[in-house]
Amino acid sequence: MATFLYKLGRLAFRRRHFVALIWVALLTLAGVGAASAPPAGNSSFSIPGTEAQKAFDLLEQRFPGASADGATARVVFKAPSGEKMTDAGNKATVEKTVDELSDGSEVASVADPYTGNAVSKDGTIAYASVKYDVSGMELEESTKDALEDAAQQARDAGLTVEVGGDALQAVPETGATEVIGIAVAAVVLVITFGSLVAAGLPLLTALIGVGIGVSSITALAGALELGSTTSILAMMIGLAVGIDYALFIVSRYRAELAEGREREEAAGRAVGTAGSAVVFAGLTVVIALVGLAVVNIPMLTKMGIAAAGTVAIAVLIALTMIPALLGYAGRRVKPAGAKGRRLGRSRKSEPKPDAPKPDQPAGRPKANLGTRWASFVVRRPLAVLLLGVIGLGAAAVPATSLELGLPDDGSQPTSTTQRRAYDLLSEGFGPGFNGPLMVVVDAKGSDAPKDAFDDVAGKIEGLDGVVAVTPPAPNKGGDTATITVIPDSKPSSVQTEDLVHAIRDAGGDIEAKTGAETLVTGSTAMNIDVSEKLNDALVPYLVLVVGLAFLLLIVVFRSILVPLKAALGFLLSVMAALGAVVAVFQWGWLSGLMGVEETGPVMSMMPIFMVGVVFGLAMDYEVFLVTRMREAYVHGEKPNQAVVTGFKHGARVVTAAAVIMMAVFAGFIGSSESMVKMIGFGLAIAVFFDAFVVRMAIVPAVLALLGKKAWWLPKWLDRALPNVDVEGEGLRTGDERGSGPDEDRELVRA
């Protein structure tokens, strides 16, 4: 592996014009494809194997033309103080609004509040239900404008009017948040390298990689039914790993220059060593993202595969375009330590003989912060390990009360019309009115379908937590009916989830007696089923992803205990991050600081999403940091010495990479969308825990305690495993093999 990548790095350095031309051509081709591609419609959201999806499919068959998955809107009216919606003037305004809404070409039906019993008991609030032929993401802008114009005209007439439902659902937009992350990344890179040119290389290559990835997704969105969130996820992850991978290789290139190597040789060695770590780190990210397919939610599978493709592009660009750009940069990229020399305080310079540091032998270079920290850890490994584990354990405690759900209009900011419509409906009709359940009764196998419909309705009316049950509405064939059930609790509550299960249990008894099958669907039931499906898939997903990555890391590190420690450390950081998410978004701690307006259940896909994304990203730091330790150990250093050497060369880079990744993710905390805000916070805090607590404290402490045992591998397994040579042993000359490094020996003595 190292030898092949070494040759690739030297080739890219020499043939830089050709390499740059290829990537520019790919970027241009992807951009043209994205610009000429037709607008993507709504990605089909199906949840195979769930009862809610089965009911949706049944509705499509038995109620043709009903547009079961069509967009809906609830136009909610509230009378001025002292008036009622039944007053003549207010009633005329509402009826005029209903007539205007009925004229739309995509409108399937509009229910008049006064004929559909949609006026609150006190007469102050009413609503009109609008059903569309197409989904919310497929609605024409003119249809949305007509809906908003009709609501505005009613407002001008003196009524309070808000619009709920998914008809006004907007495509998530990006822009400012990514700019914040890139700006912070630029500052960190300049501080790390001390050079605008060196700092600009990772940014440039990351942007090119993300540009190719996102443009390709946009070009294929229509054909593959990719949703808008797919490109957002690809951009978020591609930007973070793209900067990190390039940062690793540029940093190693500067270190090779500092050892006196020619630039082409330094580029080859950087790609052969750090590039090997990049390849395996990228593979772990790809495994984690592609592994989302085990959840069996098509939308999530497509998101994972698209993001994995962007990561693969980031790896290829780091291995080829970075050495090509280093060739263009020439002497403008300085060796490591050159920044200090320009400022008159070289890290490589010798201290004056007459003024040695009291804690540093004369004639020795000053140890950097990574070296000093690692030296402290290997002297006090047990204390550092216990402190890190206890701290992460305490942060993980809130995760024991984790409640899962999917966001609805009630979780949106109060500034949105959807949230205000939600609150008005809760005020006038009760909280459960925002999440009605649709019960579908399939009586095709029943001898008395009508009796079966009535039995189901009567059984549901007797259940706890039910406010109202509409009469059964059969189809033309008379073999299927729908029943609407209004719970007395809000859609995202545990009580509503219990009611869904109670209806399904009651349906089983009815089917045994009448032969009619009862299915519960609707957006609320679908959300519940998605949450349960994601929860059930978490353990198999963990086993698959961690298991495959464990095998991969065994090949990389040629050790059993090091990969095991990496996996256990990752689980600690993910649990701590989930605990932080629960504390902020479910319990409300620091919610004001984070801009969380409404606390509630944690988004259903958050645990499995964090496992997938954070595991892949966390392995970046593990592979890059520990491969430097493994490299030092293989080249003759003692175990504790190797830990210090790994930190000496890798701590600064890993710290910069983690800060960059946190900045990219934290930029999304400012989003008004609760789901995006939660993802941004969760990923940022997870990277913090994993990079600074697990990789920087727990990992060196465990390796110091294990000593040589950390690198133990059964002989039979050693013979069976392929030798990928991540440490670059094959690149060392005879002189290099014969001389062992002696720096930092005194620093690691206990």
Side-chain angles (χ1 to χ4, degrees), residues 234-431:
M235 181 185 299
M236 185 188 299
I237 296 176
L239 193 61
V241 301
I243 295 174
D244 281 3
Y245 294 163
L247 169 64
F248 293 161
I249 293 178
V250 173
S251 175
R252 185 59 184 256
Y253 172 76
R254 296 177 71 237
E256 296 292 337
L257 288 179
E259 293 184 11
R261 293 188 174 88
E262 294 296 327
R263 294 187 176 274
E264 182 179 327
E265 176 70 10
R269 292 208 173 207
V271 176
T273 51
S276 298
V278 165
V279 168
F280 283 98
L283 276 176
T284 59
V285 180
V286 169
I287 288 172
L289 291 171
V290 173
L292 290 171
V294 303
V295 184
N296 196 25
I297 296 179
M299 181 189 72
L300 200 57
T301 300
K302 293 174 183 177
M303 289 172 63
I305 293 175
T310 306
V311 172
I313 292 172
V315 172
L316 292 174
I317 283 188
L319 297 177
T320 57
M321 195 169 186
I322 281 293
L325 292 179
L326 289 172
Y328 283 119
R331 297 186 178 277
R332 287 186 289 274
V333 176
K334 305 294 183 181
K339 175 180 66 173
R341 281 192 288 272
R342 289 200 305 272
L343 296 175
R345 51 179 181 84
S346 169
R347 293 193 303 271
K348 301 285 184 180
S349 61
E350 300 286 339
K352 293 181 180 180
D354 58 342
K357 297 290 182 182
D359 59 344
Q360 175 183 324
R364 293 201 50 202
K366 180 181 178 181
N368 62 22
L369 183 59
T371 302
R372 295 197 298 272
W373 168 250
S375 301
F376 169 77
V377 173
V378 297
R379 287 197 302 269
R380 302 287 185 271
L382 187 58
V384 172
L385 175 62
L386 290 176
L387 186 62
V389 171
I390 292 172
L392 290 179
V397 169
T400 58
S401 62
L402 174 68
E403 295 178 8
L404 298 177
L406 287 177
D408 53 27
D409 285 348
S411 61
Q412 296 208 36
T414 53
S415 58
T416 62
T417 185
Q418 291 94 332
R419 171 60 186 276
R420 291 195 292 265
Y422 179 98
D423 293 339
L424 284 177
L425 286 172
S426 297
E427 177 188 341
F429 302 92

Side-chain angles (χ1 to χ4, degrees), residues 57-68:
D57 296 340
L58 184 64
L59 286 173
E60 291 287 348
Q61 296 173 11
R62 305 286 175 84
F63 291 82
S67 301

Side-chain angles (χ1 to χ4, degrees), residues 573-586:
S573 59
V574 166
M575 289 303 298
L578 274 178
V581 169
V582 170
V584 174
F585 291 89
Q586 188 175 310

Side-chain angles (χ1 to χ4, degrees), residues 357-656:
K357 297 290 182 182
D359 59 344
Q360 175 183 324
R364 293 201 50 202
K366 180 181 178 181
N368 62 22
L369 183 59
T371 302
R372 295 197 298 272
W373 168 250
S375 301
F376 169 77
V377 173
V378 297
R379 287 197 302 269
R380 302 287 185 271
L382 187 58
V384 172
L385 175 62
L386 290 176
L387 186 62
V389 171
I390 292 172
L392 290 179
V397 169
T400 58
S401 62
L402 174 68
E403 295 178 8
L404 298 177
L406 287 177
D408 53 27
D409 285 348
S411 61
Q412 296 208 36
T414 53
S415 58
T416 62
T417 185
Q418 291 94 332
R419 171 60 186 276
R420 291 195 292 265
Y422 179 98
D423 293 339
L424 284 177
L425 286 172
S426 297
E427 177 188 341
F429 302 92
F433 207 81
N434 283 291
L437 306 175
M438 179 180 289
V439 178
V440 182
V441 185
D442 180 7
K444 199 167 188 177
S446 175
D447 297 332
K450 188 176 184 306
D451 293 339
F453 301 154
D454 294 336
D455 286 346
V456 173
K459 188 75 171 178
I460 294 174
E461 283 182 344
L463 296 176
D464 294 334
V466 175
V467 173
V469 178
T470 63
N475 63 346
K476 291 182 179 180
D479 58 2
T480 309
T482 60
I483 301 171
T484 301
V485 180
I486 306 298
D488 66 358
S489 52
K490 63 182 183 178
S492 59
S493 66
V494 177
Q495 292 82 358
T496 300
E497 182 178 348
D498 293 339
L499 176 59
V500 169
H501 291 303
I503 294 174
R504 288 172 174 171
D505 292 340
D509 297 336
I510 293 173
E511 183 177 5
K513 290 189 296 185
T514 66
E517 185 179 12
T518 302
L519 305 170
V520 184
T521 187
S523 60
T524 301
M526 181 68 82
N527 288 351
I528 292 171
D529 286 353
V530 170
S531 299
E532 292 180 351
K533 191 175 182 71
L534 288 166
N535 194 44
D536 293 342
L538 183 58
V539 173
Y541 178 66
L542 261 176
V543 172
L544 173 69
V545 171
V546 177
L548 288 176
F550 178 76
L551 295 176
L552 187 65
L553 292 178
I554 288 178
V555 175
V556 174
F557 297 129
R558 308 195 75 78
S559 163
I560 297 293
L561 296 180
V562 171
L564 181 62
K565 170 264 308 170
L568 293 177
F570 154 75
L571 292 176
L572 266 177
S573 59
V574 166
M575 289 303 298
L578 274 178
V581 169
V582 170
V584 174
F585 291 89
Q586 188 175 310
W587 291 1
W589 293 5
L590 302 178
S591 57
L593 181 63
M594 296 294 170
V596 180
E597 297 187 13
E598 185 75 19
T599 59
V602 172
M603 183 180 62
S604 301
M605 65 177 65
M606 196 67 192
I608 203 164
F609 185 77
M610 285 183 63
V611 166
V613 176
V614 176
F615 181 78
L617 300 181
M619 291 304 103
D620 287 359
Y621 312 126
E622 177 74 17
V623 170
F624 187 77
L625 194 60
V626 181
T627 48
R628 291 305 296 259
M629 299 177 190
R630 169 76 182 173
E631 183 179 341
Y633 178 75
V634 168
H635 293 163
E637 294 191 9
K638 293 180 179 179
N640 282 9
Q641 236 181 291
V643 171
V644 174
T645 300
F647 268 78
K648 173 186 175 182
H649 296 294
R652 183 182 181 89
V653 179
V654 170
T655 300

Side-chain angles (χ1 to χ4, degrees), residues 632-725:
Y633 178 75
V634 168
H635 293 163
E637 294 191 9
K638 293 180 179 179
N640 282 9
Q641 236 181 291
V643 171
V644 174
T645 300
F647 268 78
K648 173 186 175 182
H649 296 294
R652 183 182 181 89
V653 179
V654 170
T655 300
V659 171
I660 289 169
M661 200 171 286
M662 288 168 58
V664 172
F665 293 145
F668 290 84
I669 297 176
S671 172
S672 60
E673 289 288 334
S674 61
M675 182 171 68
V676 176
K677 184 189 296 287
M678 189 181 296
I679 290 175
F681 173 79
L683 294 182
I685 197 70
V687 169
F688 172 78
F689 285 145
D690 197 90
F692 294 106
V693 181
V694 174
R695 309 303 154 191
M696 292 289 188
I698 293 178
V699 165
V702 171
L703 291 177
L705 289 171
L706 292 175
K708 291 184 178 179
K709 296 177 182 177
W711 309 107
W712 171 80
L713 186 69
K715 292 183 178 179
W716 63 268
L717 185 57
D718 186 44
R719 290 192 297 268
L721 292 177
N723 184 14
V724 295
D725 189 21

